[in-house]
Amino acid sequence: MRKTETARLACEELEKFYPDADCTLDYEKPYELLISTRLAAQCTDARVNIVTQELYKKYPTLESFAEADISELEQAVKPCGFYHTKAKNIKEMSGQLIERHGGRVPDTMEELLALSGVGRKTANLILGDVYGKPAVVTDTHCIRISRRLGLTAYKEPAKVEADLRKLIPPEVSNAFCHRTVMFGREICTARSPKCSKCPLSYFCKEHGANSK
């Protein structure tokens, strides 16, 4: 089966399985999604959502993050791990948004990548979820599932993103990535995937190889 056909089937089956695909991070303002995504590095979305409930009350504006005492901010985000770096990035990023963009989260890849602590994964999430632009968020679930399906041979996020952009229609790319996160947590887990319950098993390259 050609990769284009596999990609088409994956999009269709995942849409049936998860018709309401959405970001699993809680936020109300665009800059909050930016901060939450930074906190989610090496941390679960569930834990981030718990931490940010109080964080966004303590720091209700972008200005309050920019002016925050770094030690206090570190303690506030400590449960998410790597708190020294994350707090530093959040404070710097907040100041950059105010100084360079008048407090608005930018809507281009180049401008987003120029912010402290922002990589392509975060930038794509902002572009897709906040601005509704075609985006490919290659988190660990998306990478694992794409490799198992045979859509890419790479593990590096940027290379996987490049491969998926060639195969996944732009208008569904953002939803596809959200669905792979949900699918990767429930069915196509890293260890002991539930292949017997998988709606993609009939065209999954890895499942076919294991069956043989």
Side-chain angles (χ1 to χ4, degrees), residues 12-13 15-16 26 30 33-34 39-40 42 49 53 81 86-87 94 101 106 118 132 138 154 163 169 172 184 210-211:
E12 291 177 356
E13 295 292 352
E15 184 176 7
K16 293 176 189 175
D26 297 334
L33 179 57
L34 200 56
L39 292 175
Q42 305 299 313
N49 288 337
Q53 282 183 6
K86 290 180 180 180
S94 299
H101 306 286
V118 175
T138 49
Y154 298 111
D163 280 348
V172 300
N210 292 338
S211 296

Side-chain angles (χ1 to χ4, degrees), residues 87-116:
K88 178 176 179 290
N89 287 159
I90 290 169
K91 182 176 172 66
E92 289 179 352
M93 179 174 62
S94 299
Q96 291 163 352
L97 287 174
I98 294 169
E99 295 168 10
R100 301 175 187 174
H101 306 286
R104 178 180 179 273
V105 175
D107 62 354
T108 69
M109 177 66 74
E110 293 73 21
E111 290 175 311
L112 286 165
L113 292 178
L115 298 173
S116 294

Side-chain angles (χ1 to χ4, degrees), residues 1 4 16 38 47 59-60 65 71 75 79 81 94 112 117 140 143 167 169 173 183-184 190 196 200-201:
M1 184 180 293
T4 51
K16 293 176 189 175
R38 183 67 191 94
R47 179 176 291 276
Y59 302 100
F65 276 109
S71 297
Q75 290 306 306
S94 299
L112 286 165
T140 55
I143 293 171
L167 299 169
S173 59
F183 184 62
S196 62
L200 310 167
S201 61

